[in-house]
Amino acid sequence: MPKGTGWRISLIFIFVLLSFLYLTPTLVTSLPSWWGGLLPKDKIHLGLDLQGGTHLILEVDTQKAVEGSLDIVATDLEDTLNSKNLRFKRISRNGSDKISLLFYEKETSDTVQKLLKDKYPGYELNPSLDEGGFVALSLKISDAAAQDRKDKAVAQALETIRNRIDQFGVSEPTIQREGIDHIVVQLPGIKDPQRAIDLIGKTARLEFKMVREDIPPSTVSLPDDAELLKEKTVDPATGAVSELPFVLQKKSLITGDLLTDAQVRIDSQFNQPYVAIEFNSLGAKLFDQVTAANVGKRFAIVLDNNVYSAPVIRERISGGSAQISGNFTEKTAADLAIVLRAGALPAPVKIIQNVTVGPSLGQDSINKGLYAGLIGVVLVVLFMGVYYKLCGMVANLGMVLNVVYLMGALAAMGATLTLPGIAAIVLLIGMSVDSNVLIFERIREELKLGKAPKAALDAGYDKAFMTIMDSHITTLITAAVLFQFGTGPVKGFAVSLSLGVIINLFTSLIGTRVIFDTVLHRVNVKKMSI
């Protein structure tokens, strides 16, 4: 046997064994009880176009993110000026890109101007103006800073949505940015799409605010520092919805940004679910201070401008733990815990496209893809057998090895198979014999020159080597570009194509060569069937 043939045969059989080992969870419906430990358990997942599911396109309201940043700056400014004993009449957001500051005297305004220039370099400070006897300043966010905040809002929304879906338990979701402010979400095989949509779209801004019990909810004109929000309750027997209004202090004392955990618990007294929350060290300190200073007063827990509960603070609460109770079911409590753990969206998102793909369509796609692949295999096998005779059958065996190796590699990677991925596999069937066609034509040329079968075989593989390498490398470059810049289905095609090209190099240059070398060594071949 030629030198090196033994280890090549061993390598081929090892790859075949590994491929079937990784394909077992995909091919076998129920794995035996002893299958576990180091043995592979993951299978090839089917994409949205094959098993059905939900396709969403979300639009992030990036302007709201800018406005939220301005609100934070306004609150920070208020605390900073108070700490420095700098008197002011009002600090508030003016429109979508400015903060207005009113001062009683110009000296204070001059001091604040210097402070603002140092602390907020990304903002433009407009000259002082006299306004009704007060000194006014305007702090405007620059275009570059606003655009940077918008970009970060989309990136943060993408990560938050990904965290929520991961905790929701969807297998192999596709979540990616598209364009300036759009996010594409694909949820294959999802059983409850509406629940997932509600979970994704919830802004989940959690705030703790004091209830203004000195102002009745029926008041027509509220002060600038107060707002009217409502607590909605649903009667479990009739389904009737009732609303209880509360006048709240507009400024939040604590926000959900300070949370570290949120879990569903069951109230042992009423057997009702609630959400237990844990604050980080800063949140625990603030919660301790707020509850200590407001014993006997009502403290509203607000999520997305809806009051969930407004309990009376009975005593100082230390330790950084609290609970959100309300008219929860176990499912709604679990969803609330998910969004609180994953974090609030930096800006509201709006679903601008919602397409549900039924599993029957996916199964039809699978059947048609398999049918097309089967026809392709049969036609290629017939052509190679008729045109290249026994050598053609060797190429057909290489093609079978190609498909087995590729499916095994997809299973080992836990890849998602999509309809374009099936197209790449069908394309690979043609590519797998294309390399052998180049080799066989070279062998024919050498045989016409009167060379012996073994010498013609060696020359054929040697002369076709660089041509095969060039064609496969250029295809790999194309696949890399598709993967880098393509969307989900295109990336699936690129992955299958890249793996197929690499595997085809192995089977065409090593796999089929081993078969020829083995036969020529064992049998005294005087004429090749080519």
Side-chain angles (χ1 to χ4, degrees), residues 163-214:
N163 290 338
R164 292 182 184 181
I165 291 174
D166 287 345
Q167 295 187 52
F168 188 65
V170 179
S171 176
E172 296 295 321
T174 298
I175 308 157
Q176 58 191 18
R177 184 171 181 171
E178 185 178 84
I180 298 175
D181 55 3
H182 289 175
I183 296 174
V184 175
V185 179
Q186 293 184 346
L187 307 174
I190 191 168
K191 300 294 189 295
D192 190 353
Q194 189 55 50
R195 183 185 173 199
I197 291 170
D198 294 339
L199 190 68
I200 292 169
K202 186 174 288 184
T203 306
R205 177 165 176 78
L206 180 68
E207 301 168 287
F208 292 79
K209 300 183 176 184
M210 296 305 303
V211 176
R212 292 287 299 269
E213 297 184 82
D214 58 320

Side-chain angles (χ1 to χ4, degrees), residues 258-320:
L258 304 176
L259 292 183
T260 59
D261 194 18
Q263 299 290 338
V264 178
R265 299 282 186 267
I266 302 296
D267 189 328
S268 58
Q269 184 177 359
F270 299 103
N271 199 32
Q272 291 290 322
Y274 67 90
V275 179
I277 56 177
E278 297 285 339
F279 292 102
N280 60 19
S281 57
L282 176 59
K285 180 181 177 182
L286 289 175
F287 197 66
D288 178 58
Q289 292 174 351
V290 168
T291 54
N294 294 282
V295 172
K297 298 179 181 178
R298 302 191 75 175
F299 196 33
I301 301 170
V302 182
L303 180 71
D304 292 345
N305 289 327
N306 291 311
V307 177
Y308 268 67
S309 57
V312 176
I313 301 173
R314 302 295 182 189
E315 60 184 358
R316 177 178 183 173
I317 303 174
S318 303

Side-chain angles (χ1 to χ4, degrees), residues 405-428:
Y405 289 158
L406 176 59
M407 299 306 292
L410 290 174
M413 294 171 60
T416 301
L417 185 62
T418 61
L419 201 56
I422 293 178
I425 295 172
V426 176
L427 178 62
L428 175 64

